[in-house]
Each structure stands twice: as structure tokens, then as C-alpha cells.
Amino acid sequence: QVQLVESGGGLVQAGGSLRLSCAASRSLSSINAIGWYRRAPGKRRELVAAFISGGSTNYADSVKGRFTISRDNANNTVYLQMDSLKPEDTGVYYCYANDYYTHNYWGQGTPVTVSS
């Protein structure tokens, strides 16, 4: 089992920045992949950024150059630095992880609202 707790969401004006945190309940070295999804109002959940197996990163085209995923292994925490935010970035952001047994885990989500 992996518990994921997100924090850092809030309201920000367009062009501003936020940093989201995802604290995992166990060592990141025991997790196959971990990252961030989001769901905008009325839309499907989509991948934002993730660490995948082998240590590679994957970003949605819409956030490349603006968002950066990073990790702090000592604190079992993954971050999403979001810069140059746009109104279309508004949504609920979810931390996601899967383990080597292909089980999927989701955090409760943290809302992000970007005003124009």
C-alpha cells in the first residue's frame, strides 16, 4: 500500500507560480512510477508530469517549459513546480503512483485555480 498526500494548491493570478507537494508513505525507491495528473472542470483526467520506470520524466505538451517535476528522496516527496500559470491550468491536481505489482494509488487531490 502507498498513501499519497498532496498539498500546495490554491488561487493564483495568470503568470504566477505554485509548487505542489506529494508526500508518499514509503520510500520512493520502492515505487515504480510517481507523478501528477489533473482534471479540469468538465474534462477527463490527464497526465501532467511523472517519473516513470528507469528514472525518466514525462510531461504533457501543454506544460513543457513551464512545469518541472522533482523529488526529495530523503523525505519521500515529489514536487511539481508550476510557473507561468495560465487559466487553462485550472483543475484538481492528483498525485499518482504505481508499484512493481502494477497496483495504482491516488491522492485525494489539491485544487488549483488560475484567474485571468
Side-chain angles (χ1 to χ4, degrees), residues 73-96:
N73 291 329
N75 292 301
N76 300 337
T77 301
V78 173
Y79 301 96
L80 184 67
Q81 178 68 42
M82 305 187 295
D83 298 321
S84 301
L85 283 162
K86 304 175 180 179
E88 53 262 42
D89 295 318
T90 293
V92 179
Y93 284 68
Y94 298 88
C95 190
Y96 163 85

Side-chain angles (χ1 to χ4, degrees), residues 43-62:
K43 296 183 178 180
R44 285 180 169 268
R45 186 178 297 183
E46 65 173 346
L47 175 71
V48 178
F51 290 105
I52 59 176
S53 61
S56 299
T57 57
N58 190 25
Y59 291 92
D61 288 341
S62 61

Side-chain angles (χ1 to χ4, degrees), residues 19-69:
R19 188 179 72 165
L20 307 183
S21 298
C22 172
S25 63
R26 73 187 199 200
S27 173
L28 300 182
S29 65
S30 68
I31 299 172
N32 183 53
I34 190 166
W36 295 91
Y37 283 71
R38 70 185 179 190
R39 181 156 53 206
K43 296 183 178 180
R44 285 180 169 268
R45 186 178 297 183
E46 65 173 346
L47 175 71
V48 178
F51 290 105
I52 59 176
S53 61
S56 299
T57 57
N58 190 25
Y59 291 92
D61 288 341
S62 61
V63 307
K64 287 180 179 177
R66 300 189 298 118
F67 291 11
T68 304
I69 188 170

